[in-house]
Amino acid sequence: MSADSTAVVAPAGPDTSGAGSPSAGRHLGLALVVIAAAQLMVVLDATITNIALPAIQTDLGVSDANLAWIVNSYALAFGGLLLLGGKAGDLFGRRKMFQVGIAVFTLASLLGGLAPNEGLLIAARILQGVGAALAAPSALALITTTFPVGKPRNTAMGVYAAMGGVGATVGLLLGGTLTDVLDWRWVFFVNIPIGLAVLAGTRTLVEAERHPGRLDVPGAIAGTGGLIALVHGITRGGEHGWTGGLTLASFAAAAVLLAAFLWLQARTAHPMMPLRLFKNRSRSGSYATMLFIGAGMFATFYFLTLYAQLILGYSPVRTGFAFLPFSFGMAAAAGVSSKLVARFAPRVIAGPGLLVAAVGMFWFATLEPDSSYAGHLMPAMFVTALGLGMSFVPMTLGAVSGVSHEDTGVASALLNTAQQIGGALGLAVLSTVSTSAADDKLPEAAGALYRGLAAKDSALVAEAGDALTHGYTMAFAAAAGMFLAGLAVTALAVNAGKQRHVEGAAPVHMG
């Protein structure tokens, strides 16, 4: 799942005159509902689709390799264009970009719900990511310009942060309910009334100050295109072999585009990703660690969803509720770590957290087709969540430690970008590992499972379930390795000291 938000440093908003009047209070209340609804919609969309994956796969006949693209296409577009979306808000106005982003997101949700095949569904998911990348960076800035300093703004900031925390849980429960009661298409259709209501309410928001500069469109195209080519190469290599012409062409295109991206960032006057931010070893280490965290966390939700529904036979609603310990564990650990960061350096908190998360993933790697929820799934889920929750806040602090004020926003946004991109790359690698391991035991294991269920062939169902479970456990073991790699980077590179407050740092959301 994703952590779908960004952080920006916005100019201080005007102290709205008459803020204490009933009409001003109603105006601010509506503005808060608008921003909260938009933030919730963007955050939950990464998780709401996860629960519907088995239903989508059955209905549209999606292959195992392409199933990951339904998650990854959103993450790549969102993560790849997040910084460009923030810059667009600076140049053209936060409210205007917020409106454009929500409109694009809503239209893409309609197209996703109507998609007759996997290709158009993936295209709609990319468009959703574009809309989210335009809307999300502006939400925080619009809070500072719309709400007067003091209690109104503090309340708004608290609600904004809470939406990131509850978004993943709401997405899981809502996705399960809609898929069970109605149809998987409603996980997309549900965004349409919310998006239209948010658009209608944007007139209550106060426009932020604009800043000079220009968009780094060539950088955005090169960077995002390179990442898509890389993920495509990994996915295709696992499915058709690593020496195939298209696989090698994808890797070559990725190398050329990503090299061009770095070249452009070093030479353009207004880079999308200022390379000066990476000169600090601790900050670079924080970004690298978040890349590994994202890689392991996306995979956790993806493979557990498939395991719960395909192997254990859970309904979508039951699957959504089964994930609640994960949300509770992460929220509890994040709350504790936010207090500990004032007393300890970030790596002292994040390092043990990543070790605990790796233990949880190794626990998942021991799953069997008949493992119990209370004795195996739930405790492993809670342990993993505790570890990850301990890691988020310290990594945010490490990323913005020692950054000049004008770079605080982009430094914090880069952390969210790293999590999204890490998630997409990690899921591409781990879904390849999982599919290869499963198919080694039984060729086309997922297809065999569906054939067995349709024919009521219990022997084939059992054989396919065993093969798929083997694939999932191999992916969990590899995800544990990613958390341990993040631990190594944290121990070696993240040397920021303890900090009591970081100006402009928004929370990294746990989706």
Side-chain angles (χ1 to χ4, degrees), residues 266-324:
R267 283 158 180 77
T268 184
H270 303 282
M272 187 174 83
M273 187 180 76
L275 296 182
R276 62 180 177 273
L277 290 173
F278 295 92
K279 290 180 179 178
N280 180 287
R281 187 182 76 175
S282 183
R283 197 176 307 124
S284 295
S286 295
Y287 294 141
T289 300
M290 188 54 76
L291 203 73
F292 286 118
I293 290 174
M297 192 172 71
F298 268 53
T300 304
F301 281 93
Y302 180 82
F303 292 112
L304 280 181
T305 297
L306 296 179
Y307 174 79
Q309 292 190 47
L310 298 182
I311 308 303
L312 297 184
Y314 284 13
S315 68
V317 168
R318 189 177 177 187
T319 304
F321 277 98
F323 275 109
L324 284 179

